[in-house]
Amino acid sequence: MSASASRTPPASRPSRRAVLAGTGAGVLAAAALPSGGARADSVRAWPRLGEYDVVVVGSGAAGMTAALTAAKRGLSVLVVEKAPAFGGSAARSGAGIWLPNNSVILAAGVPDTPQKAAAYLSAVVGPEVPADRQAAFLANGPRMLDFVMANSPLRFRFMEGYSDYYPDLPGGLPNGRSIEPDQIDGNVLGGELARLNPAYMPVPAGMVVFSQDYKWLNLAAVSARGLAVSAECLARGTAAALRGEKPLTMGQALAAGLRAGLQRAGVPVWLNSPLVDLVQENGSVTGVVVETEGARGVVRARKGVIVGSGGFEHNAAMRAQYQQQPIGTQWSVGAKENTGDGILAGQRAGAALALMEDAWWGPSIPLPGEPYFCLAERTLPGGLIVNANGTRFVNEAAPYSDVVHVMYEKDRGAVGSHIPAWLIVDQNYRNKYLFKDVLPTLPFPDSWYQAGAAVKAWTWDALAGRIGVPAGALRATLSRFNAQAVSGTDSDFHRGDTAYDHYYTDPNVLPNSCLAPVWVPPFHAFRIVPGDLGTKGGIVTDARARALRADGSVIRGLYAAGNASAAVMGHSYAGAGSTIGPAMTFGYVAANDIADG
């Protein structure tokens, strides 16, 4: 395949016969990659699958934004994707996007300024993340968003009221800076829609639901606004059906919109084509080794390779090597194909790695089949989290990443003391609020109890026995918590002290919408483990998204963005969408740097 074939239909890819042409199958089967990566002289005998200006590894938010940017800058581009579907973890997500000073929030009247954003980001991430990388994210994020809207069907909505995660820090905004994709008709993709990675939690049939709606859907049984939002979601779904549309929102809309942009730009996306290694020549990365239809071959990249292949959340060996125990690949909701392939290839090419011990954490319930990442459930009034000693240890309404950081920190001194923990709620809570996708008052699936993820008992002491915590300690914890809930002041952990704490709460509960007593039987407990949306450690990059060696020198031709790179958020999390916002931005930065070169 020649460079001129870069505008072939996206579904096109070399046949196995083409891959094997000119080589013996036995030669390919015997080929082994050297520990330092694939050097050009070691792969000369392998088939050439094509030549492009830019090869992008991964079809998530980072990869597709990078590919779209490169194509619109006049470069020939190929996207190679390990999975049989495109979209990666972004397609599975709620697709919140944190981008200060973007045109969508400014048009909505958000009082953001570059000075506020810089002060806030610096306060959140601290000195660990170089100032020029922070500045590059803040400067390029708004430009990236405008570019994406100009070159794809994507439009975005302000997530009004979804506070920055630390609104009391300098520059923090209690009303938030986050946006999410507007509704898209999946028909825009034609047959390619069938290859969209499914959502982590499917939208209820017949409804069109935005990420921001879930706050109110949780309250539909107790709130007039919640009921109105539910009716609006149903009305949107009905209207879309009458128009013959296939409505997509959240991560499904984001991935579909970016993919539609690539279709319009003529960018091919090879699915089922995992990265095997990077090709190096004279110290530069000049291509990739990929496997397609069971055989390996080389795609040359004349100007650069952008790694956007996600994290290593589903690589048990890497998690055991870099992260604190207990840790489990089964606790992550990231795309199952994210096994660190791009990170490892970058490391073999000489790239330094950072933040490998960290992830985009969140308290999760290990339900059978797939974990459930808790947002509203741990924040709504009428619940609390306890450790193995039957005592509270954290503000349950704090940013989800912080809650898990506390779990690990406090578990270090006594393994098993805080992992697992238990979320305890009463029947009053269950009568009012949606829990995952189980409507109020309805029983939980038997499989939850059989898996040990949920427990029910009619007394505090019986519940303590079922979850293995001291009964006296749990009684004392609940008694103190209930007294504080009645007063509306959590003097122990300050739950409800910030605007963020109140986002997923019940405004009908006074004096503190985060707090209500736990006293109506039966009582329910849910096992809480350190889940995640993906890992956040990877290839160290500079402000231009170029991969760096440990000595700070640049690896020519190699770029990284998204969870394959060390996060610009450092060990923290500025607001909803702090994964996707920087991923798209640095994909955009990488492609522009290649084009400018």
Side-chain angles (χ1 to χ4, degrees):
M1 183 184 296
S2 68
S4 63
S6 64
R7 299 304 182 195
T8 54
S12 70
R13 51 190 298 189
S15 67
R16 181 175 176 83
R17 178 176 296 177
V19 169
L20 296 175
T23 68
V27 173
L28 274 176
L33 293 170
S35 60
R39 300 183 61 86
D41 55 3
S42 72
V43 296
R44 284 194 184 115
W46 292 9
R48 289 285 285 272
L49 304 182
E51 184 169 329
Y52 299 81
D53 292 325
V54 180
V55 176
V56 176
V57 182
S59 66
M64 287 199 285
T65 303
L68 183 61
T69 306
K72 288 299 181 178
R73 290 294 307 273
L75 304 178
S76 62
V77 188
L78 170 69
V79 178
V80 294
E81 168 58 54
K82 177 182 183 179
F86 68 88
S89 293
R92 293 170 53 77
S93 74
I97 301 173
W98 194 80
L99 287 174
N101 289 295
N102 71 72
S103 59
V104 174
I105 65 172
L106 294 180
V110 175
D112 204 3
T113 67
Q115 294 75 26
K116 285 181 183 178
Y120 178 68
L121 186 60
S122 177
V124 168
V125 307
E128 184 175 9
V129 178
D132 62 341
R133 281 196 75 213
Q134 296 181 44
F137 166 59
L138 295 175
N140 286 284
R143 300 169 191 159
M144 176 277 295
L145 192 74
D146 289 343
F147 167 85
V148 165
M149 289 192 289
N151 293 283
S152 79
L154 280 165
R155 299 295 179 267
F156 298 88
R157 303 158 52 102
F158 173 43
M159 299 174 71
E160 184 175 5
Y162 205 146
S163 171
D164 284 343
Y165 287 177
Y166 307 98
D168 295 339
L169 289 179
L173 296 183
N175 206 33
R177 292 178 162 101
S178 301
I179 59 174
E180 63 173 311
D182 209 338
Q183 179 179 335
I184 276 186
D185 179 8
N187 287 318
V188 71
L189 284 177
E192 192 68 7
L193 180 62
R195 290 180 278 274
L196 172 61
N197 204 22
Y200 158 57
M201 280 188 64
V203 170
M207 301 182 79
V208 172
V209 181
F210 295 106
S211 191
Q212 191 178 20
D213 293 332
Y214 277 106
K215 165 186 170 67
W216 295 107
L217 294 180
N218 289 319
L219 306 174
V222 295
S223 162
R225 184 169 179 185
L227 190 60
V229 169
S230 297
E232 185 179 353
C233 292
L234 183 59
R236 290 191 207 116
T238 301
L242 290 173
R243 293 191 298 265
E245 295 179 356
K246 297 176 180 177
L248 303 174
T249 58
M250 297 182 280
Q252 296 286 281
L254 179 63
L258 288 171
R259 185 68 184 89
L262 295 185
Q263 284 183 320
R264 294 175 182 177
V267 176
V269 177
W270 291 358
L271 302 178
N272 294 301
S273 299
L275 171 73
V276 176
D277 214 340
L278 299 167
V279 177
Q280 289 181 273
E281 188 173 5
N282 299 323
S284 298
V285 170
T286 58
V288 297
V289 180
V290 297
E291 188 169 295
T292 186
E293 297 195 353
R296 292 179 179 177
V298 176
V299 180
R300 180 170 176 79
R302 287 185 292 265
K303 295 181 179 293
V305 172
I306 303 174
V307 177
S309 53
F312 59 95
E313 55 266 24
H314 290 287
N315 185 321
M318 290 182 73
R319 298 206 84 152
Q321 176 181 357
Y322 291 108
Q323 300 188 324
Q324 180 180 334
Q325 297 295 324
I327 192 68
T329 59
Q330 72 276 15
W331 295 341
S332 177
V333 300
K336 66 181 184 297
E337 291 83 7
N338 290 350
T339 54
D341 303 358
I343 297 170
L344 293 172
Q347 185 180 39
R348 289 191 295 271
L353 307 182
L355 297 176
M356 297 293 283
E357 72 278 16
D358 213 342
W360 304 101
W361 304 113
S364 300
I365 303 172
L367 298 179
E370 190 167 49
Y372 178 63
F373 193 95
C374 286
L375 289 174
E377 291 79 7
R378 63 189 169 82
T379 301
L380 286 163
L384 73 164
I385 296 177
V386 301
N387 59 17
N389 298 319
T391 60
R392 289 179 74 208
F393 60 93
V394 71
N395 169 12
E396 296 89 350
Y400 34 90
S401 190
D402 286 355
V403 174
V404 173
H405 279 140
V406 172
M407 289 174 70
Y408 272 125
E409 180 183 342
K410 295 191 173 183
D411 203 66
R412 288 191 188 105
V415 175
S417 62
H418 290 76
I419 302 173
W422 293 91
L423 169 63
I424 296 173
V425 305
D426 72 350
Q427 190 59 34
N428 183 49
Y429 174 110
R430 278 299 302 131
N431 290 341
K432 291 181 174 182
Y433 309 126
L434 185 73
F435 195 102
K436 189 179 182 285
D437 53 0
V438 181
L439 294 173
T441 75
L442 295 184
F444 295 115
D446 290 342
S447 61
W448 292 18
Y449 298 104
Q450 293 164 0
V455 171
K456 181 170 75 171
W458 285 87
T459 67
W460 291 352
D461 284 5
L463 188 71
R466 297 286 304 278
I467 64 176
V469 306
L474 184 61
R475 283 199 307 273
T477 296
L478 286 166
S479 295
R480 179 170 178 80
F481 179 83
N482 288 349
Q484 292 184 334
V486 170
S487 72
T489 302
D490 176 14
S491 57
D492 294 337
F493 297 100
H494 305 285
R495 178 169 164 181
D497 281 8
T498 75
Y500 175 76
D501 287 4
H502 288 272
Y503 183 71
Y504 284 113
T505 57
D506 184 349
N508 296 316
V509 172
L510 299 173
N512 185 334
S513 68
C514 292
L515 298 173
V518 180
W519 54 19
V520 177
F523 303 100
H524 309 266
F526 305 91
R527 184 184 295 268
I528 297 294
V529 297
D532 63 70
L533 302 170
T535 52
K536 63 158 51 175
I539 297 169
V540 175
T541 58
D542 64 9
R544 293 160 58 182
R546 301 178 299 179
L548 302 178
R549 300 183 181 87
D551 63 4
S553 61
V554 172
I555 301 175
R556 293 191 305 275
L558 182 60
Y559 296 76
N563 287 352
S565 63
V568 73
M569 293 292 159
H571 289 292
S572 198
Y573 211 133
S578 291
T579 55
I580 296 178
M584 295 175 70
T585 299
F586 282 108
Y588 171 81
V589 167
N592 277 317
D593 194 72
I594 293 172
D596 290 342

